[in-house]
Amino acid sequence: MIFGVSTGTLDDKLAAAIEEGTPKVSKRIESLHWLQDHGFRTYGMICPSLPVADFGEFSKEICEAIRVEKCEH
């Protein structure tokens, strides 16, 4: 089994404006880190990818946030 989260932003307020009834992005990332820290197989899905001013910077930030090196997929 592989556990994961999806998000298109790291901004809790922006996500809340788009997604109804979902946990805050910060809580999703927190749960992903817990799973990774406890040896579970994980993935991160950057979806939907929302428009940003600097996609290169966003890509770097989101990869760091989901700890892409610990994600299996």
Side-chain angles (χ1 to χ4, degrees):
M1 186 173 293
I2 304 173
F3 298 94
V5 299
S6 66
T7 185
T9 181
L10 293 173
D11 184 325
D12 284 332
K13 289 182 181 179
L14 179 58
I18 298 168
E19 303 172 326
E20 271 188 43
T22 61
K24 290 182 178 182
V25 172
S26 58
K27 291 297 182 182
R28 288 181 242 174
I29 299 294
E30 183 181 316
S31 67
L32 183 67
H33 289 183
W34 186 93
L35 290 162
Q36 291 168 337
D37 292 344
H38 289 86
F40 289 90
R41 296 169 64 192
T42 61
Y43 72 89
M45 185 168 63
I46 315 310
C47 177
S49 187
L50 303 173
V52 294
D54 184 343
F55 190 78
E57 184 62 27
F58 170 73
S59 177
K60 180 182 172 194
E61 289 174 2
I62 200 134
C63 284
E64 288 174 0
I66 67 169
R67 301 194 297 193
V68 73
E69 72 281 358
K70 294 186 176 198
C71 291
E72 187 168 325
H73 294 285

